[in-house]
Amino acid sequence: MRVLLQFPEGLKQKALEIAEELEKKGDKVFLSASACYGACDIAFGQAEAVHADKIVHYGHARFPIPRGRKIAVEFLEWRSDADLEPVLGMALGDADFRKCKKIGLVTTVQHIGQMSAVRRFLEASGKKALVGRHGPLAKYDGQILGCDPGSATSIDGKVDCILYFGGGLFHPIAAAIACKRRVLAADPFSGRILWLDGEKKKYEKRKMGMLALGLQARRFGILVSTKPGQLNLRAAEALKRRLEAAGKEAAILVADRLEPEALENFHSFDFFVNTACPRIAVDDYAQFGKPVLNLAEAVELASLLGKRK
Ligand code: SF4
């Protein structure tokens, strides 16, 4: 069988070893060399180009792929065995966390296998731990994605705070933005815990600033990614119509990967709307050199513009 293997950045060092094992079993193996940050990003184009029968996507959980693709995709998850006890101990020592009796637990797929152990750890300390129902893009209860914090929002009204365990801040910031309850991130790799109130406030302040700029902007570039799990063309077209009805000019800009350098020569636009991965307006906005809002906020902007007309 001809197989294209796709690895997220953190697992690319294992690619050769895995490729050699599969070749010994008789497969013809190709390695995707593109950057890969999520299960939304399945390399169908590359697989077609090398006539692969199948894509094996490592490191992420199954993600809903639009129908009609001819090449099969197998998701092989990867699980972390990072020691969580030091950061959980830090959380239990935090004055604000101590006041919370009911804790909502969320994490990424890499740590989902540690959910029961974290629950037991907290319950042994007198807490009640709740795991929320996953959203439409995640596979497991308790799992969150930057584009799907459903496991957090589903328990937001039932807990005193939410505890995220896992690496990085992108996922817990998405939960903090979407939830009313405070979110504490416990990162076993940095060995730090952090309440995300400050990050959430910064995001909300920036969003208000962007909405104000959006009201003044004249020409909008609506960014659409062709990555299978990020393609949001219908929403982009609907937004274009709404902006135009509000007297603005708008065009849809299409790319596989939305890179600031590739967009900088589009001087005509004074505002970008991102319909792809929300990381663009949460983490990477400063690289775009122009105001940029994610789709949900841009829909708010379109409503404000509609009311002003
Ligand atoms: S769209 Fe972004 S947040 Fe969602 S799965 Fe892809 S990389 Fe992750």
Side-chain angles (χ1 to χ4, degrees):
M1 184 185 277
R2 295 170 75 86
V3 187
L4 178 79
L5 307 185
Q6 209 183 358
F7 295 87
E9 300 315 297
L11 293 182
K12 278 185 172 147
Q13 80 261 18
K14 296 185 184 295
L16 179 59
E17 192 189 321
I18 294 173
E20 284 175 348
E21 271 173 35
L22 291 174
E23 293 223 322
K24 271 188 212 145
K25 290 181 190 160
D27 287 332
K28 276 203 180 345
V29 178
F30 304 86
L31 300 176
S32 168
S34 300
C36 174
Y37 299 105
C40 56
D41 186 5
I42 306 295
F44 285 109
Q46 293 168 21
E48 275 164 30
V50 299
H51 308 293
D53 305 298
K54 179 176 165 180
I55 299 169
V56 183
H57 182 101
Y58 287 85
H60 299 118
R62 185 213 63 220
F63 192 90
I65 299 167
R67 287 195 197 127
R69 301 284 183 169
K70 290 192 190 105
I71 300 175
V73 182
E74 183 181 358
F75 290 94
L76 287 182
E77 296 168 16
W78 177 79
R79 292 290 153 78
S80 169
D81 57 1
D83 183 8
L84 293 168
E85 284 200 14
V87 279
L88 294 179
M90 287 167 77
L92 288 173
D94 179 271
D96 287 353
F97 191 77
R98 276 209 302 270
K99 288 180 203 151
C100 300
K101 289 195 170 65
K102 283 191 201 160
I103 316 290
L105 295 180
V106 294
T107 187
T108 58
V109 67
Q110 289 81 11
H111 298 275
I112 205 79
Q114 295 174 302
M115 183 63 87
S116 306
V118 172
R119 191 177 204 160
R120 282 196 301 277
F121 186 94
L122 293 177
E123 290 183 345
S125 307
K127 307 283 186 197
K128 186 167 171 40
L130 268 74
V131 177
R133 174 102 184 109
H134 68 80
L137 304 177
K139 180 177 174 188
Y140 298 101
D141 289 344
Q143 179 201 355
I144 53 170
L145 300 166
C147 56
D148 183 1
S151 289
T153 53
S154 63
I155 43 168
D156 192 23
K158 300 176 189 154
V159 295
D160 300 318
C161 71
I162 293 172
L163 176 68
Y164 164 84
F165 55 94
L169 292 180
F170 176 53
H171 294 86
I173 287 176
I177 290 170
C179 292
K180 289 201 172 67
R181 295 289 175 230
R182 297 177 74 199
V183 175
L184 178 67
D187 183 339
F189 306 106
S190 67
R192 292 180 60 211
I193 61 166
L194 181 71
W195 286 103
L196 291 169
D197 316 14
E199 300 296 325
K200 178 173 175 159
K201 264 197 202 120
K202 260 193 255 167
Y203 179 81
E204 284 172 349
K205 195 171 164 204
R206 197 168 66 242
K207 175 184 144 184
M208 296 314 287
M210 295 287 177
L211 287 174
L213 290 170
L215 291 172
Q216 305 306 323
R218 288 176 49 217
R219 300 189 187 103
F220 289 75
I222 304 173
L223 310 179
V224 170
S225 168
T226 55
K227 292 186 187 301
Q230 294 190 23
L231 181 65
N232 223 339
L233 189 56
R234 201 178 289 175
E237 288 182 300
L239 182 68
K240 181 175 187 290
R241 284 194 296 274
R242 287 185 73 179
L243 290 172
E244 286 170 345
K248 306 289 183 183
E249 290 173 57
I252 294 176
L253 306 176
V254 184
D256 172 58
R257 193 174 147 90
L258 296 160
E259 289 169 311
E261 308 77 51
L263 291 168
E264 71 188 2
N265 286 328
F266 285 102
H267 298 295
S268 324
F269 298 104
D270 42 27
F271 202 100
F272 287 135
V273 173
N274 166 47
T275 66
C277 177
R279 193 185 277 270
I280 286 178
V282 174
D283 271 359
D284 301 341
Y285 60 91
Q287 299 169 26
F288 282 79
K290 283 181 189 165
V292 53
L293 273 179
N294 280 335
L295 180 62
E297 289 88 30
V299 170
E300 264 182 64
L301 174 65
S303 301
L304 292 173
L305 288 167
K307 282 182 198 148
R308 281 193 355 169
K309 258 207 113 194

